[in-house]
Structures are given as structure tokens and as C-alpha cells.
Amino acid sequence: MTQPYDEREARKQYIRHRQRTVFTAVGAAMAVILVVAMLFFFHVFGLGRVGVPAQEPNYGVTAPCAQAGEDGTAVTVSAPSVTIRVLNGTEFSGFAQAVGKGLENRGFTLQSYSTYQDANGNGINNVERTTIYFGRNSINQAYTLNDNFTDAIMVMDDREDELIDVVLGATFKNLKDLHEVSAPGSPIQDFATCQPADQMTDLPAAIAH
């Protein structure tokens, strides 16, 4: 015998069926979103990894390649053979003296320390990054000195003597820990963008002594 049709019960069943369908679809979508989020969170296949541009060697300034000896290897030199002058390019008074004495305690020959000045003798206190200026005759010495810094730029200028100038900038915080500094005679790691010194022309003028 055929059961009487119950419209209300049929409507309830339809609603329950539709709700199950909607909940199933929403659950599946949330599961997919969760999986994708996990892939990005854990950088699977490199997803979500933010590319950090590599710092240009020597902060984009071309430096000369270290000079190799007879055995074809360029090595660091002893600190006493490096004569330096430390110039303060910041607004902090006594900065050059403090850093100069620190380098002198490490064995470097400190000629003097003073304020960085322009050609007219005016003090300059807005240097951003510490810069090591040197000539063709003190390339390995400059690399040796640079190994004591974490933020310095190496710039070869047209000076003919072996004096090296260190102009302190705002980015300087402290010298590198001694245990991180290479011992004399250690191989020098050239910058990937270095050029042979004899191929570098149009060098900037040296700072006045």
C-alpha cells in the first residue's frame, strides 16, 4: 500500500541534503586552503619564500684584486706593516681616536687620527659607510685592514704611497672580534667583481695628507 506523501518531511530531507552538500563543499575547500597555507608556511618547493637581494660585493664599488706572490697566492700581511690614518666622518666626537687606538692595539701602525675634511678644510660628518682608501702599492695591506671591519668599502685612489686612510661612517658599530680576523699569511678572498689593479683607470684623487 502506497504511503501518503508528506510534504513537510520531504522538505526537511531536502534541506538536510542541501546542508550536507554545502558543509561537505566548505569542508573540502577549507582543507585545500589549509594544505596550501602549510605549503607556503614551510616554503615547500620554495613557495612563499621572500627573495632577499644579495648585497653587492664591496657594496657595488669595484676593488682591485689582491696581488699574488711568486707562488700565485695572495695573502694577508702583518699588521705592523700597515700604516693607517683614521678619519672621523661622523658627528660623534672622539670616534677616530677610539677606533684608531683599537687598531693600534691590534698591531697596526697608527700615523694619526682626526676629522674627515673636504678640500676646503671643512669637517664632514655625514659619511654613511666606513671607507678604506688606499693606493696601488698597498692593496694586500688594505685587504688585511678590511678584514677587521664588518661594514667597510674598499676604494683604490691615485695615491702613490702606502698610507691607508680609514674614514669612519655611520654604519660602523665595532671592529670584528679578533678570533674572526685572519692570521698573517692567510689567503685573501678576492671580491667576485674585482679587477686587476693595472686595468683600473680614472681613479679618484687621494685625500690630502
Side-chain angles (χ1 to χ4, degrees):
M1 181 176 181
T2 304
Q3 296 293 330
Y5 178 71
D6 190 334
E7 182 179 353
R8 287 181 300 178
E9 182 63 27
R11 186 182 301 113
K12 290 180 181 179
Q13 291 181 359
Y14 170 75
I15 292 175
R16 285 196 293 269
H17 175 72
R18 187 172 63 178
Q19 288 176 336
R20 284 196 299 270
T21 302
V22 171
F23 290 153
T24 300
V26 171
M30 292 183 66
V32 171
I33 292 173
L34 177 61
V35 170
V36 173
M38 295 296 286
L39 291 176
F40 274 85
F41 182 80
F42 291 105
H43 306 307
V44 178
F45 307 123
L47 293 173
R49 191 179 302 279
V50 178
V52 178
Q55 179 65 62
E56 291 185 79
N58 205 39
Y59 300 93
V61 177
T62 301
C65 300
Q67 296 179 317
E70 294 181 356
D71 62 354
T73 303
V75 298
T76 57
V77 301
S78 63
S81 68
V82 183
T83 302
I84 63 174
R85 180 175 59 165
V86 182
L87 306 173
N88 186 6
T90 76
E91 59 185 4
F92 302 107
S93 178
F95 207 19
Q97 179 180 0
V99 177
K101 291 299 183 182
L103 290 169
E104 188 175 41
N105 289 338
R106 296 188 174 196
F108 292 96
T109 301
L110 178 63
Q111 183 187 88
S112 63
Y113 53 83
S114 60
T115 300
Y116 184 40
Q117 299 179 338
D118 61 19
N120 297 319
N122 299 313
I124 301 174
N125 62 3
N126 60 350
V127 175
E128 177 64 19
R129 190 172 297 281
T130 299
T131 306
I132 297 174
Y133 293 98
F134 59 98
R136 298 181 187 275
N137 297 315
S138 57
I139 295 175
N140 289 8
Q141 291 93 324
Y143 273 99
T144 300
L145 178 62
N146 183 57
D147 192 36
N148 289 264
F149 292 84
T150 61
D151 71 317
I153 303 172
M154 291 178 57
V155 176
M156 187 169 75
D157 56 29
D158 65 358
R159 70 186 64 196
E160 297 295 335
D161 58 20
E162 296 186 3
L163 176 67
I164 297 177
D165 284 323
V166 180
V167 178
L168 300 173
T171 59
F172 178 84
K173 301 302 179 185
N174 206 342
L175 294 173
K176 188 186 296 184
D177 289 341
L178 268 175
H179 71 272
E180 298 178 324
V181 177
S182 301
S186 300
I188 294 175
Q189 182 64 48
D190 280 325
F191 297 109
T193 56
C194 76
Q195 293 184 4
D198 58 4
Q199 294 182 14
M200 295 182 64
T201 58
D202 298 326
L203 298 174
I207 301 172
H209 290 8

